[in-house]
Amino acid sequence: MTVEINSLNFAIPEQEQEFHWQECWYPICFIQDLTKNRPYSFSLYEEPFVLFKNQDGQLVCLSDRCPHRAAKLSDGQIIDGKIECLYHGWQFGSDGECLHIPQLPKDAKIPTNACVRSFPVVEHQSMIWMWTSATVTADEKRIPAIAELDKPGTVSMDYMRDLPYDQSFLIENVIDPAHVFIAHDGSDGNRKYAQPLDIEVVENSVQGIYGKWRIAGESSGFFQNWQKLDFIAPNLVHCQFAAKNPDWLFGLAIYSLPLGKDRCRILLRRYRNFMTRPVQFIPRWFQHLRQNRVLEEDMSVVVGQQAEIQRLGNSLKEIFLPLKTSDTLVVEYRKWLDKFGLSLPYYQGYSTSKNIHGNNSDRHQQTPSLDRLSQHIHICSSCNQAYRMSDRLKQTFVGIAIALAAFAIITDSSSIQIAAVSTSVVAVVLAIIAQKVRTHLERPYNRQAKGWLS
């Protein structure tokens, strides 16, 4: 017997009582953000992997470690659909088999253990997913897809960023509706709605937590209706909002990838089937400016929260002072980790934990920076292109301004001088605009100053 999970088109045997982290699909990136003709590196629970396309355009995922001398394959290059190690030129194919070793004599056979482990990888709903289990066959039906995205007329804004804190702190953050009205006042929230919440847990099982919430007050407007908020283990928080029109779809899918201790990746999709023109026609990089601000409004708070919890060294049950009118889903999630997190490489539950310090126990002493350039721009194809283009345009306009100013000095015609100077001024203005765009793309949002850090 299988269980249908709300609007998600994946099912898990009802009799399964244990959670096995390797028997899950993990989101890597959006297909549009995959680097072209170059290896794409990422990690899962500190283990390095490399992603690329073979000669037939099929996705390939391998362990990012050359069996020769443990160099990173992702530092190499793609040659005829094979990945070549930068160190000595060993080449590997789609199944991880070694196909060429330059240092071997022509009549020598390639050692049988000169291979790299490969992993199932697929594209689904414009995202790339990997499966890590070596014993259980990958079943694409278990990908936690959002059924609404496949309905005609639905559009989405897709956003990805690497965050300097553990995945569990990200999930705790996004499964907490109460913080939105304070932490995101002026962007995604409004302080006037910071009121007691009605929160109900509909189901709590190995598959996740399915809940709903609403503002308890009578003058709560849109939020007086029940809003769905689900955690689908281990990587998805799905928010479904109650729209005025029953035909309208409006939701937020927040996927995450546990890169390692104190590191995770968020893959966020805002979707809707009404008022779609802004999503369709506003450039993706421009939409990301607002989403960057929302993430950065939370980032320093969550980083500080995790650092303080690590410093104290106590269980969350001893540290937290939760309220039923705001923190029910947060506590339920941490208790879910208590019950089902034992197989994870590490976790921080409500009463228990596993390997949360290890070799990284000193990390809380170093405050991670809000580095938008490395955390987002370098891994987002749209923002990366806009960032490089704004820099090129700035340099071009500065060059034009200088050239026109010099021409105005040497020419004898007053009318040409006026035209050259005027055009030079316009070029300077355009260079300033290009620089401002570059600044807005790169610099994090400052909560205190309500602007961009300088």
Side-chain angles (χ1 to χ4, degrees):
M1 178 179 179
T2 58
V3 180
E4 186 70 21
I5 300 178
N6 293 343
S7 61
L8 301 175
N9 64 353
F10 94 131
I12 294 178
E14 191 179 53
Q15 67 271 21
E16 186 177 6
Q17 298 298 318
E18 295 182 4
F19 174 75
H20 304 281
W21 72 269
Q22 290 180 314
E23 297 172 16
C24 300
W25 287 96
Y26 288 87
I28 307 308
C29 66
F30 296 107
I31 191 67
Q32 62 183 316
D33 294 320
L34 181 67
T35 52
K36 305 294 189 296
N37 303 316
R38 290 188 292 114
Y40 187 93
S41 64
F42 67 97
S43 61
L44 175 64
Y45 290 117
E46 304 285 3
E47 187 68 23
F49 299 90
V50 61
L51 192 69
F52 63 97
K53 287 188 176 183
N54 64 13
Q55 203 164 15
D56 299 323
Q58 296 176 328
L59 290 167
V60 178
C61 183
L62 306 176
S63 290
D64 192 10
R65 185 185 304 110
C66 181
H68 179 212
R69 300 258 290 277
K72 292 177 69 68
L73 292 176
S74 57
D75 288 337
Q77 60 181 331
I78 308 301
I79 298 179
D80 297 328
K82 302 181 291 292
I83 189 167
E84 181 183 81
C85 180
L86 179 67
Y87 207 2
H88 296 91
W90 289 30
Q91 296 181 0
F92 301 88
S94 301
D95 295 326
E97 72 279 18
C98 185
L99 301 175
H100 178 60
I101 298 178
Q103 295 79 22
L104 276 181
K106 291 184 178 181
D107 57 348
K109 292 184 178 180
I110 295 177
T112 56
N113 59 347
C115 59
V116 182
R117 185 182 170 190
S118 64
F119 299 84
V121 58
V122 298
E123 177 187 346
H124 191 78
Q125 289 194 329
S126 302
M127 297 174 69
I128 299 175
W129 301 82
M130 74 167 294
W131 179 269
T132 63
S133 176
T135 58
V136 177
T137 303
D139 182 0
E140 292 188 36
K141 293 180 180 179
R142 295 184 65 171
I143 294 176
I146 304 298
E148 288 79 1
L149 289 172
D150 293 327
K151 294 183 178 179
T154 302
V155 298
S156 69
M157 187 284 292
D158 298 338
Y159 169 90
M160 181 171 65
R161 182 162 178 161
D162 290 345
L163 302 173
Y165 41 85
D166 181 70
Q167 180 196 38
S168 67
F169 283 90
L170 169 63
I171 293 176
E172 175 190 312
N173 174 241
V174 298
I175 206 172
D176 167 27
H179 89 283
V180 174
F181 307 112
I182 297 295
H184 302 299
D185 179 40
S187 55
D188 269 7
N190 190 319
R191 293 181 67 90
K192 72 177 183 179
Y193 294 125
Q195 304 171 33
L197 305 180
D198 289 329
I199 303 177
E200 291 186 12
V201 176
V202 179
E203 179 186 343
N204 188 334
S205 69
V206 67
Q207 300 166 22
I209 303 165
Y210 309 98
K212 58 182 181 178
W213 68 276
R214 67 181 179 185
I215 293 180
E218 295 181 359
S219 60
S220 55
F222 170 81
F223 297 106
Q224 68 183 357
N225 300 316
W226 286 105
Q227 319 292 322
K228 291 184 179 181
L229 184 54
D230 302 329
F231 161 64
I232 292 85
N235 298 315
L236 171 62
V237 173
H238 187 202
C239 312
Q240 292 175 284
F241 303 107
K244 295 180 180 179
N245 188 324
D247 295 327
W248 286 358
L249 297 175
F250 179 29
L252 181 63
I254 305 171
Y255 293 97
S256 55
L257 175 68
L259 300 171
K261 289 185 178 181
D262 301 346
R263 297 183 299 126
C264 70
R265 172 171 295 176
I266 183 173
L267 297 98
L268 180 147
R269 317 192 85 160
R270 294 178 181 268
Y271 66 87
R272 61 172 61 184
N273 68 350
F274 64 97
M275 297 176 63
T276 60
R277 286 185 176 273
V279 179
Q280 290 176 302
F281 298 109
I282 295 178
R284 185 177 179 229
W285 66 265
F286 192 81
Q287 297 179 55
H288 286 184
L289 289 176
R290 177 179 178 275
Q291 193 59 57
N292 274 321
R293 169 183 168 172
V294 173
L295 261 291
E296 288 157 5
E297 287 172 341
D298 277 334
M299 197 177 298
S300 60
V301 176
V302 178
V303 167
Q305 174 200 21
Q306 177 172 289
E308 180 63 7
I309 289 170
Q310 289 179 343
R311 186 189 69 82
L312 293 171
N314 298 329
S315 71
L316 298 184
K317 185 176 182 179
E318 297 174 281
I319 297 172
F320 285 4
L321 185 62
L323 301 175
K324 289 185 178 180
T325 51
S326 65
D327 306 305
T328 298
L329 292 175
V330 169
V331 174
E332 285 292 315
Y333 166 63
R334 291 295 183 177
K335 288 182 176 179
W336 186 92
L337 289 172
D338 286 333
K339 188 175 182 179
F340 299 111
L342 189 60
S343 77
L344 292 170
Y346 50 84
Y347 76 91
Q348 174 86 61
Y350 194 57
S351 303
T352 64
S353 62
K354 174 186 174 182
N355 295 335
I356 59 172
H357 297 302
N359 296 328
N360 299 297
S361 58
D362 296 331
R363 287 193 177 185
H364 67 273
Q365 299 175 4
Q366 303 174 359
T367 302
S369 63
L370 305 185
D371 184 2
R372 188 186 291 183
L373 187 62
S374 64
Q375 293 169 354
H376 175 65
I377 292 177
H378 285 171
I379 63 173
C380 173
S381 61
S382 303
C383 291
N384 194 310
Q385 183 178 10
Y387 183 76
R388 289 185 285 108
M389 180 62 70
S390 63
D391 190 49
R392 286 199 296 266
L393 287 174
K394 172 195 167 185
Q395 295 180 26
T396 299
F397 289 133
V398 167
I400 291 173
I402 293 173
L404 289 172
F407 180 71
I409 293 174
I410 62 176
T411 186
D412 295 329
S413 172
S414 58
S415 59
I416 294 178
Q417 283 181 331
I418 294 173
V421 170
S422 300
T423 307
S424 177
V425 171
V426 171
V428 169
V429 171
L430 292 174
I432 292 172
I433 293 174
Q435 176 59 36
K436 285 187 175 294
V437 169
R438 187 174 185 271
T439 298
H440 277 59
L441 282 166
E442 178 183 13
R443 292 184 181 174
Y445 183 78
N446 186 341
R447 288 174 56 90
Q448 286 70 35
K450 294 190 180 297
W452 279 265
L453 297 174
S454 59

